[in-house]
Amino acid sequence: MTENLIEIKGVTHAYKTASGPLPVLDGLNVSVPEGTFAAVVGPSGCGKSTLTKLVAGLMKPDSGEVWLHGELVKGPRKTVGMAFQNPVLLEWRTILDNVILPLEIVAPKMSKAKCVARAMELLDMVGLVGFEHKRPSELSGGMRQRASLCRSLVHKPDVLIMDEPFGALDAFTREDLWQTMRDLRRAEPFTAVLITHDLRESVFLGDQVIVLSGRPARSQYVMNVDLPEDRTLDVLFTPKAADMLHRLRDQIKIAQGRDVEAHS
Amino acid sequence: MIGKIATPLLAVLVFLGLWELLVWVNDWPNYKMASPSDLPPAFWKYKELFFTMGWQTLWRTVAGLMLAVVFGTLIGMVIGFSKIARDALYPLLIGFNAIPKATLVPVISLIFIGQHDFNTVLMAFMISFFPIAVSVGIGLSTLEPEYRDILRALGATRFTIFRKIALPKTLPEFFGALKVSATLAFIGTNLVEIVSPHGRGLGALFKSGETNGDYPLMFAVLIALAFLGIVLYYAVVFLERVFAGWADREGT
């Protein structure tokens, strides 16, 4: 039994708004064992993004605790990588310099040559060699997101936190990036938390899928994805995957406060 | 490349031609409106004055503009990062900007009596810092939180985030404002040069043309001012290309 790398214990959080406090998380519990991939799904606005900020140490919960590596999270730490729906690449830097950016913060003494070698290693894995000297504006949306993933992994974080990183891409590009994600994890294992709205994505990439309830969110349902480690997209067409997707769909409806349709 | 220089040059020639035609058709005397053909003799007659006074106007304008860049950027940073400062400073800034600067000329010339250079630089500065402050402030306050978070999640300091992300990201807005400020600064400089007794610079040359009834000289000064304005504007464009050329999407 591996130790849980991420442990979220009874986290409750509310935002202050003009019309009073808006509770978003209510006694949330999540455990992610080291080296595994947790996909988090839930209705819109249920506090999924808040969860990423708490794990990254960008926010403190009103109550409850977030543990990383057996340490209580009190602020940002250098061992975290983040990726968002918007690739947030810096337009004035080349792709290569964008990927290097975290190293400038985390390892300011690392030589330029080493930084470049490390960045190129990742760009090679995602198929962006030859584009390293281009600016972000010259790349397609999928390529920008690949570069963004490289940037979030360049400093070898032990946790990668992703907030709908593939949400703005077209369906085919998205499937390409799922496979890229799978290959990256195979090459350099890391623990991942993925916020998503796409149930197929959660089943293809996740080791466990966590369904959050509607706001204020609790962990409503946890499903272990019982599929082979080495998945291809074909696995999504198996009866087993279809059954899992079906169960998740029902849970989302419950989270949205709707009745589960009678299965025929 | 040839087109880039030839096109605006041709436009200027057409403009001068139409101007000449307008004066010729109406048969206006040069005290009503001088024509372009009156200008070369005026320039030639006072060529040394144009150089010395043009230089005075230029350096004081650039000095005022540089002050505006430093002070405007600082104010912009304060109102960009702090909501309290934004709420507190905006009414003051807008109120100050709304005051016609001509009314301030006697005020500052009384505070700093005889300090002509200083007063001129001060006015160029006062008239031109506002666009810079506002644009830097807006650029910083509208920075998407994700841009901040990618570095903040790694424990970067506020200063590092400012230097690596906020500052370069604001550069296009900054240069946009600087183009406006560069031309405004000339207005400030000339205001003091024209209104101050015994002033120097192109404004004073204009004033002396008026006093002596030398109308071609007055028009020649206006053209010289326009020329300096164009030079400074393109100097800013050049700097923009160097420092914020990435924002230019032409051809991509």
Side-chain angles (χ1 to χ4, degrees):
Chain A
M1 173 84 195
T2 38
E3 193 199 342
N4 286 331
L5 186 84
I6 305 171
E7 192 80 64
I8 297 174
K9 294 181 188 166
V11 164
T12 297
H13 193 78
Y15 286 107
K16 292 179 194 73
T17 65
S19 51
L22 177 74
V24 283
L25 300 176
D26 180 24
L28 180 69
N29 292 306
V30 172
S31 302
V32 184
E34 182 158 7
T36 67
F37 198 113
V40 180
V41 297
S44 289
C46 77
K48 297 191 294 293
S49 295
T50 309
L51 177 64
T52 62
K53 291 205 171 110
L54 291 172
V55 177
L58 293 172
M59 263 171 46
K60 284 193 186 111
D62 291 344
S63 67
E65 293 172 344
V66 180
W67 293 75
L68 256 177
H69 259 317
E71 274 178 52
L72 191 63
V73 174
K74 287 177 181 146
R77 31 193 302 149
K78 294 182 193 298
T79 57
V80 163
M82 287 195 97
F84 306 94
Q85 179 169 357
N86 178 349
V88 284
L89 297 173
L90 311 183
E91 293 291 329
W92 55 94
R93 287 177 171 233
T94 62
I95 293 300
L96 180 65
D97 287 339
N98 263 289
V99 174
I100 287 173
L101 180 72
L103 292 177
E104 294 172 13
I105 310 296
V106 173
K109 292 198 177 103
M110 195 165 163
S111 75
K112 179 82 181 166
K114 273 190 179 164
C115 290
V116 170
R118 168 65 184 149
M120 288 309 292
E121 186 185 0
L122 282 166
L123 288 171
D124 186 29
M125 275 190 247
V126 303
L128 279 182
V129 170
F131 294 94
E132 64 271 21
H133 296 303
K134 298 252 187 251
R135 299 218 184 256
S137 57
E138 297 173 277
L139 267 58
S140 71
M143 289 160 104
R144 280 201 281 257
Q145 199 53 264
R146 282 168 199 275
S148 173
L149 283 179
C150 290
R151 183 182 58 192
S152 52
L153 289 171
V154 73
H155 54 300
K156 300 192 175 165
D158 46 23
V159 184
L160 178 61
I161 305 164
M162 292 169 282
D163 192 351
E164 294 187 51
F166 315 124
L169 303 172
D170 67 83
F172 301 123
T173 310
R174 196 182 304 172
E175 291 181 353
D176 281 347
L177 272 143
W178 294 350
Q179 297 173 73
T180 304
M181 190 78 236
R182 175 199 62 198
D183 297 343
L184 282 168
R185 271 190 75 214
R186 199 182 289 159
E188 294 181 7
F190 50 83
T191 308
V193 178
L194 170 76
I195 306 292
T196 180
H197 277 124
D198 187 332
L199 297 180
R200 292 171 70 238
E201 180 172 302
S202 72
V203 168
F204 180 74
L205 287 172
D207 295 312
Q208 59 168 331
V209 181
I210 299 158
V211 181
L212 297 188
S213 68
R215 197 174 60 219
R218 307 168 284 102
S219 157
Q220 173 183 305
Y221 180 71
V222 179
M223 187 178 81
N224 284 311
V225 180
D226 182 21
L227 292 171
E229 284 273 302
D230 249 356
R231 292 168 210 173
T232 59
L233 285 173
D234 292 336
V235 86
L236 289 173
F237 299 101
T238 60
K240 209 172 186 181
D243 178 55
M244 281 192 270
L245 288 169
H246 209 159
R247 265 156 46 207
L248 287 173
R249 188 77 207 105
D250 286 345
Q251 289 297 327
I252 294 288
K253 278 185 192 138
I254 295 169
Q256 287 173 321
R258 291 177 204 164
D259 291 334
V260 179
E261 289 163 37
H263 295 157
S264 54
Chain B
M1 192 61 215
I2 293 170
K4 261 195 168 170
I5 296 172
T7 311
L9 209 62
L10 191 69
V12 169
L13 288 177
V14 168
F15 170 76
L16 291 176
L18 288 174
W19 178 3
E20 186 79 41
L21 188 72
L22 182 73
V23 175
W24 182 75
V25 165
N26 290 298
D27 199 18
W28 281 331
N30 70 8
Y31 55 82
K32 186 158 187 175
M33 187 183 271
S35 62
S37 55
D38 294 329
L39 301 182
F43 277 122
W44 186 249
K45 194 169 159 192
Y46 302 105
K47 57 182 183 297
E48 277 145 35
L49 280 177
F50 269 103
F51 275 112
T52 53
M53 300 215 155
W55 168 243
Q56 279 163 357
T57 298
L58 185 62
W59 83 253
R60 294 191 296 206
T61 304
V62 171
L65 190 61
M66 283 181 353
L67 271 180
V69 166
V70 173
F71 185 75
T73 306
L74 283 176
I75 297 245
M77 282 168 65
V78 171
I79 59 180
F81 283 129
S82 155
K83 192 171 180 319
I84 296 173
R86 187 151 60 238
D87 293 344
L89 288 178
Y90 253 123
L92 284 173
L93 282 174
I94 293 165
F96 181 79
N97 195 49
I99 296 173
K101 295 299 173 292
T103 59
L104 288 183
V105 176
V107 177
I108 60 170
S109 53
L110 272 176
I111 302 176
F112 309 105
I113 296 169
Q115 304 291 319
H116 185 56
D117 281 342
F118 179 83
N119 289 345
T120 314
V121 171
L122 183 66
M123 184 58 78
F125 155 71
M126 287 196 299
I127 210 167
S128 63
F129 81 90
F130 185 74
I132 297 175
V134 171
S135 73
V136 170
I138 289 176
L140 293 179
S141 64
T142 55
L143 183 73
E144 294 92 328
E146 285 103 335
Y147 279 94
R148 231 181 30 229
D149 286 350
I150 48 171
L151 287 192
R152 211 156 67 89
L154 298 171
T157 60
R158 277 175 79 95
F159 179 71
T160 307
I161 296 171
F162 174 73
R163 188 167 54 89
K164 289 204 184 277
I165 295 191
L167 183 72
K169 200 164 169 51
T170 312
L171 277 181
E173 281 101 337
F174 169 81
F175 277 108
L178 192 57
K179 287 177 190 167
V180 177
S181 292
T183 41
L184 281 178
F186 268 110
I187 297 175
T189 315
N190 275 277
L191 214 53
V192 176
E193 288 173 353
I194 294 172
V195 177
S196 304
H198 314 297
R200 289 188 298 273
L202 287 177
L205 192 59
F206 178 86
K207 186 77 187 162
S208 77
E210 191 187 0
T211 313
N212 298 316
D214 192 340
Y215 303 104
L217 173 61
M218 290 165 70
F219 277 92
V221 170
L222 296 186
I223 297 299
L225 280 170
F227 175 75
L228 286 184
I230 291 170
V231 168
L232 197 57
Y233 181 88
Y234 280 100
V236 174
V237 169
F238 173 75
L239 290 175
E240 183 183 25
R241 289 255 167 85
V242 173
F243 291 107
W246 51 267
D248 188 4
R249 295 288 177 85
E250 208 179 337
T252 59

